[in-house]
Amino acid sequence: MDRLWADNDDLRPDPDEALVVDVSGFEGPLDLLLHLARTQKVDLARISILALVEQYLVFIDRVRKLKLEIAADYLVMAAWLAYLKSKLLIPKQAGDEEESGEEMAAILQFRLKRLEAMRDMAARLVNRNRLGRDVFARGMPETVVVETTSTYSASLYDLLTAYAAQRQRQAITNVRIAKRAVWSLKEARDILIRLVGRMKDWTALDRFLIEYIAAPQERATVIASSFAASLELVREGKLEVRQDGAFATIYLRGGPKADRLAEVAYD
Amino acid sequence: MIDGGNAAMSFVDDDDPGGPEPFDNPAARLHLAETVRMAEAIVFASAEPVSEKALAARLPQGSNVRVVMTELQRVYEKRGVNLVRIGDAWAFRTAGDLAFLMNRDAVQQKKLSRAGLEVLAIAAYHQPVTRAEIEEIRGVETSKGTLDLLMETGWIRMRGRRRTPGRPVTYGTTDAFLDHFGLAEIRDLPGMDELKGAGLLSTRMPSNFQVPTPMADPGLLADDEDELTDIDLEELGLLTPKGGDD
Amino acid sequence: MIDGGNAAMSFVDDDDPGGPEPFDNPAARLHLAETVRMAEAIVFASAEPVSEKALAARLPQGSNVRVVMTELQRVYEKRGVNLVRIGDAWAFRTAGDLAFLMNRDAVQQKKLSRAGLEVLAIAAYHQPVTRAEIEEIRGVETSKGTLDLLMETGWIRMRGRRRTPGRPVTYGTTDAFLDHFGLAEIRDLPGMDELKGAGLLSTRMPSNFQVPTPMADPGLLADDEDELTDIDLEELGLLTPKGGDD
């Protein structure tokens, strides 16, 4: 809950140090990738995506070997990157309508650049002259200048907080929820959207997922949940699924709705 | 009243509100000076920004609030206290260059966590933005309570809903955010134009985004290529992760 | 330091602090101007009058506090705000002739009580809703005063009567409510998933828990709702009975 306020923010593991292999200090797979990209010590526009993919996969392997608990996001990303790597290494086949590995790499690079830009902007923002720290308001206000339209004030946040707290109090909350094995349908859905929802390329996600989910009892739930979630997303037009024959690899890619959502967003 | 104000703005040069045009008349000039004094007293008395609407209600009828405030801003430009605009409200704040003098007494403020700061920056630069978009940009689920606490701090707010299927709630920043970070408006966020130009404020990769060349290091890649050409694609997918062991 | 300040006073003419004696040197004059800016910021930001001793401690070493403050006082002499000396401390005050601006319509804005917020939120999400239903949702009796107060704010209104035994009055929100909370329409209120996503609602709610989707057009009567008639309004005491003087 209090993750909004920093305590020991800079205690991030250094993935280069063999002894410290832990993802707990990272804000998800993209953050880890960005951190690894920085170790290439070149501009993000000039990093080798292939080398980056390699670094990530090595890192995840090391973590798995030490049997450290690792969030599903990291494994899904590993699966996707392993796929990307195969695309980058195999020349594009003639008549292949799929996006090339280079295009997939470009999208990854774009996402890394965008995240890095937001980090930079966040840093510039906190270093501005801030009210109450560098710049001050009148310390001895003489009167309350108010808009005469309303005597009472409340913010939408106040309203929603009051409502949520009240409804929560009244609801019977003694329902116990069993600890999930790995993935709920919702988790699978969220992760799929976040990782492949907007990818235009056919991705054989399940194959790579199997590779990266170690425990056999987890495989069943991961595959079942991600398959069920992908069907749901297909129905909503956010995802497309392709299978060339019975028991053949299942490919996924972003559907037409996934694109439209993004376009409307930034008109 | 504010509309009237904007219309009258055309007579006045922003950089030189004391120019000849509107103040030719000594009586008009005196009148403006008196209105400026009144605005000064009202805004100075308040610790919170005073909206132009509230000012218009208290200044003599027919006052052009924007002209008055621009003049007052000019008067305070080089002083130890400056008049700043926050959205469509005005406030006096100590001058930024005197921060060294002021912040030694500042109450130690809680520091935003990295996650909190990132969500705040994304909400500011990408607004209106949905939670799913924030998560897409960060590549990670937003922990429960990050948005909640940012809303409690009064820096971000729910703005409305995106007019798309599912009508997701959108987030954006508040005037308190502008006030806290010393911004007159969202357009003044640092680096806004560069980010826009680079296409980094879009949810999808823009078509003009420079497609990088992962083969920037051709030597390394060529070696790998030779080694692996014989290997079947399916096998490769399964074997790849183990390649990292050696 | 204060003594030093007083001693230096003898060189300066109060009415003309820019006189020849101490400011002959342009560097000294610049230095004074900068010190005046600092003093201005310190006094402005302080929550109480600032003593000359406190000023001396924060201004550049060797500053003549009395000279600095006298200069600052001169700057503010004819402005909407004046610098006044109270004993040996300094503070800004609204100019005496503008005091009339301060007291007019100084309505103290009050925060809505917790009960008020709850009833308001229930009226928004569950409208059209009767008082009995509000009480059922809250699990406590709602005092009539709370509803009266909310109607006084102009945020909730009586919509009509439910077509059930007893014909209870139904309540809902007004356009002023949307305006105050920055909502384009009532459907913009976040739903259950969004309340959870923002961290306002626990993710571990019972499966039968629901947050209603507010109606698309709250202006229209629901199927089981009748319009309020003049007679209803009379009964509710909102309309003086025709001819009645009490």
Side-chain angles (χ1 to χ4, degrees):
Chain A
M1 268 309 249
D2 44 3
R3 278 180 68 196
L4 185 66
W5 305 108
D7 22 59
N8 42 10
D9 243 4
D10 294 326
L11 292 181
R12 315 180 60 192
D14 182 352
D16 286 344
E17 278 176 42
L19 288 176
V20 192
V21 184
D22 188 2
V23 292
S24 61
F26 290 98
E27 301 273 348
L30 212 56
D31 182 33
L32 173 57
L33 270 170
L34 192 55
H35 185 83
L36 292 171
R38 288 220 182 94
T39 63
Q40 289 192 21
K41 293 189 173 58
V42 285
D43 184 72
L44 261 191
R46 293 177 51 226
I47 53 161
S48 159
I49 288 289
L50 193 62
L52 181 62
V53 167
E54 201 59 69
Q55 274 177 286
Y56 184 93
L57 295 179
V58 167
F59 177 68
I60 293 295
D61 266 4
R62 239 191 295 165
V63 174
R64 288 168 68 213
K65 237 184 223 113
L66 292 173
K67 302 226 186 299
L68 293 171
E69 202 166 302
I70 186 160
D73 298 39
Y74 289 88
L75 300 175
V76 177
M77 179 60 93
W80 189 80
L81 290 176
Y83 180 67
L84 169 60
K85 180 176 163 180
S86 72
K87 295 281 287 184
L88 285 172
L89 294 180
I90 304 297
K92 197 172 165 149
Q93 312 279 306
D96 187 352
E97 53 154 301
E98 294 178 16
E99 227 167 24
S100 70
E102 284 73 20
E103 282 164 314
M104 289 169 68
I107 291 173
L108 177 62
Q109 193 149 25
F110 167 71
R111 296 188 61 195
L112 289 173
K113 276 195 93 154
R114 187 177 57 184
L115 180 61
E116 189 180 54
M118 282 303 113
R119 294 260 163 88
D120 292 347
M121 293 308 137
R124 284 172 76 171
L125 212 49
V126 276
N127 289 322
R128 287 179 67 83
N129 276 336
R130 288 163 62 181
L131 187 65
R133 187 187 73 175
D134 312 294
V135 156
F136 288 81
R138 174 88 188 266
M140 235 185 309
E142 287 177 56
T143 186
V144 189
V145 176
V146 291
E147 324 237 331
T148 49
T149 47
S150 66
T151 338
Y152 283 87
S153 74
S155 69
L156 184 59
Y157 175 76
D158 295 335
L159 186 74
L160 298 176
T161 312
Y163 182 68
Q166 186 277 323
R167 293 293 315 276
Q168 207 156 296
R169 268 202 316 276
Q170 285 306 112
I172 306 123
T173 47
N174 57 6
V175 179
R176 303 197 109 244
I177 296 162
K179 194 177 180 291
R180 287 186 213 104
V182 172
W183 275 16
S184 69
L185 197 59
K186 192 181 175 306
E187 272 177 312
R189 192 193 148 96
D190 289 351
I191 290 173
L192 279 175
I193 291 177
R194 212 159 51 231
L195 290 175
V196 290
R198 292 198 170 106
M199 294 300 168
K200 280 186 258 152
D201 194 32
W202 289 114
T203 310
L205 200 60
D206 57 348
R207 179 171 301 265
F208 291 96
L209 273 178
I210 292 169
E211 183 57 34
Y212 274 94
I213 306 292
Q217 73 272 21
E218 287 176 359
R219 281 184 196 172
T221 147
V222 166
I223 291 173
S225 299
S226 58
F227 185 67
S230 56
L231 290 184
E232 195 179 292
L233 289 165
V234 167
R235 191 172 49 80
E236 291 165 23
K238 288 174 183 154
L239 212 65
E240 288 179 5
V241 173
R242 192 188 86 190
Q243 191 177 29
D244 296 336
F247 304 109
T249 307
I250 297 167
Y251 292 92
L252 305 173
R253 74 172 176 188
K257 287 273 176 61
D259 274 8
R260 213 178 73 209
L261 274 173
E263 269 161 27
V264 175
Y266 287 88
D267 269 355
Chain B
M1 279 186 219
I2 296 166
D3 281 347
N6 289 338
M9 278 298 284
S10 52
F11 294 111
V12 186
D13 178 356
D14 258 345
D15 291 325
D16 181 20
E21 286 267 45
F23 307 123
D24 260 356
N25 182 341
R29 192 192 301 265
L30 192 70
H31 187 258
L32 177 76
E34 199 45 33
T35 311
V36 166
R37 278 188 82 225
M38 292 167 82
E40 182 181 25
I42 294 168
V43 179
F44 211 97
S46 171
E48 302 291 317
V50 182
S51 73
E52 294 188 349
K53 200 172 127 204
L55 281 166
R58 302 176 138 228
L59 294 179
Q61 228 177 358
S63 301
N64 183 327
V65 175
R66 207 31 98 83
V67 169
V68 168
M69 299 317 283
T70 309
E71 168 64 9
L72 189 57
Q73 193 171 35
R74 194 188 57 75
V75 169
Y76 275 89
E77 201 170 39
K78 296 197 169 122
R79 305 222 49 90
V81 170
N82 302 146
L83 180 64
V84 298
R85 182 168 67 82
I86 299 128
D88 67 349
W90 296 83
F92 280 107
R93 299 288 181 244
T94 59
D97 66 319
L98 296 178
F100 72 95
L101 179 73
M102 310 303 296
N103 59 21
R104 54 167 222 179
D105 288 348
V107 187
Q108 193 60 46
Q109 283 185 331
K110 273 188 177 176
K111 239 178 92 191
L112 269 180
S113 72
R114 222 155 52 91
L117 201 51
E118 234 170 79
V119 171
L120 178 65
I122 293 169
Y125 284 86
H126 289 257
Q127 64 187 299
V129 66
T130 66
R131 190 167 69 97
E133 285 161 355
I134 294 173
E135 297 188 342
E136 210 255 343
I137 292 169
R138 297 187 63 225
V140 67
E141 198 180 330
T142 302
S143 84
K144 307 288 171 227
T146 302
L147 283 168
D148 179 14
L149 280 166
L150 282 168
M151 284 196 282
E152 197 185 339
T153 312
W155 288 343
I156 80 167
R157 67 188 171 99
M158 290 178 170
R159 289 171 51 115
R161 285 178 185 270
R162 177 80 42 80
R163 303 281 176 258
T164 51
R167 306 181 74 248
V169 165
T170 54
Y171 292 87
T173 51
T174 61
D175 283 350
F177 166 85
L178 294 178
D179 195 14
H180 185 87
F181 292 100
L183 299 160
E185 43 199 308
I186 283 304
R187 266 181 300 175
D188 295 343
L189 279 168
M192 194 70 163
D193 292 339
E194 301 145 51
L195 289 182
K196 231 179 225 162
L200 290 171
L201 292 187
S202 79
T203 27
R204 275 191 317 158
M205 187 174 77
S207 52
N208 64 345
F209 184 76
Q210 201 196 344
V211 176
T213 42
M215 330 280 192
D217 197 347
L220 180 87
L221 200 80
D223 287 348
D224 283 11
E225 254 170 352
D226 287 341
E227 221 176 321
L228 295 166
T229 34
D230 289 340
I231 300 173
D232 172 59
L233 171 60
E234 276 185 28
E235 266 187 88
L236 180 75
L238 294 167
L239 291 172
T240 303
K242 285 175 188 141
D245 283 358
D246 41 20
Chain C
M1 276 188 225
I2 297 166
D3 284 347
N6 288 337
M9 278 298 284
S10 53
F11 293 111
V12 187
D13 178 358
D14 255 347
D15 292 323
D16 181 21
E21 286 266 43
F23 307 123
D24 259 357
N25 182 342
R29 193 190 301 264
L30 195 70
H31 187 260
L32 177 73
E34 200 45 36
T35 313
V36 167
R37 285 185 78 226
M38 293 181 188
E40 185 180 22
I42 293 168
V43 175
F44 172 85
S46 172
E48 47 197 55
V50 188
S51 71
E52 295 189 350
K53 198 173 142 200
L55 281 165
R58 295 181 69 178
L59 293 179
Q61 233 178 354
S63 300
N64 183 327
V65 175
R66 196 43 84 86
V67 170
V68 169
M69 297 317 283
T70 308
E71 168 63 9
L72 189 58
Q73 193 170 35
R74 193 189 58 77
V75 169
Y76 276 92
E77 201 170 39
K78 298 204 165 111
R79 306 225 49 94
V81 172
N82 303 145
L83 181 66
V84 296
R85 187 158 63 83
I86 303 139
D88 75 338
W90 295 85
F92 284 110
R93 288 276 183 268
T94 305
D97 64 320
L98 296 178
F100 72 95
L101 281 173
M102 296 299 114
N103 311 325
R104 210 185 67 178
D105 328 316
V107 184
Q108 184 77 42
Q109 249 184 337
K110 280 175 268 184
K111 279 263 176 199
L112 209 56
S113 71
R114 186 180 181 81
L117 281 170
E118 280 177 22
V119 172
L120 180 60
I122 292 167
Y125 274 97
H126 300 254
Q127 65 187 296
V129 66
T130 66
R131 187 166 150 200
E133 286 162 349
I134 294 173
E135 293 183 348
E136 196 195 312
I137 294 166
R138 291 188 65 212
V140 289
E141 204 176 316
T142 299
S143 80
K144 188 163 181 307
T146 307
L147 277 167
D148 285 346
L149 181 96
L150 285 169
M151 286 203 283
E152 210 178 291
T153 61
W155 291 338
I156 80 167
R157 66 187 173 99
M158 292 181 179
R159 296 172 42 101
R161 282 180 182 274
R162 178 75 47 78
R163 222 173 286 139
T164 52
R167 302 183 68 246
V169 170
T170 53
Y171 295 88
T173 52
T174 60
D175 286 347
F177 167 85
L178 295 178
D179 195 40
H180 183 92
F181 291 96
L183 298 164
E185 48 179 317
I186 201 71
R187 286 192 305 160
D188 285 353
L189 282 170
M192 180 170 70
D193 286 345
E194 283 137 343
L195 290 173
K196 284 182 180 173
L200 293 170
L201 201 58
S202 162
T203 45
R204 298 165 60 106
M205 296 300 287
S207 57
N208 62 351
F209 180 85
Q210 279 189 328
V211 168
T213 311
M215 52 203 307
D217 186 355
L220 296 176
L221 289 173
D223 289 342
D224 59 352
E225 229 179 344
D226 284 330
E227 218 174 318
L228 283 177
T229 63
D230 281 357
I231 295 169
D232 291 328
L233 294 175
E234 265 178 40
E235 272 176 32
L236 297 165
L238 294 174
L239 201 69
T240 325
K242 279 164 197 141
D245 270 348
D246 43 5

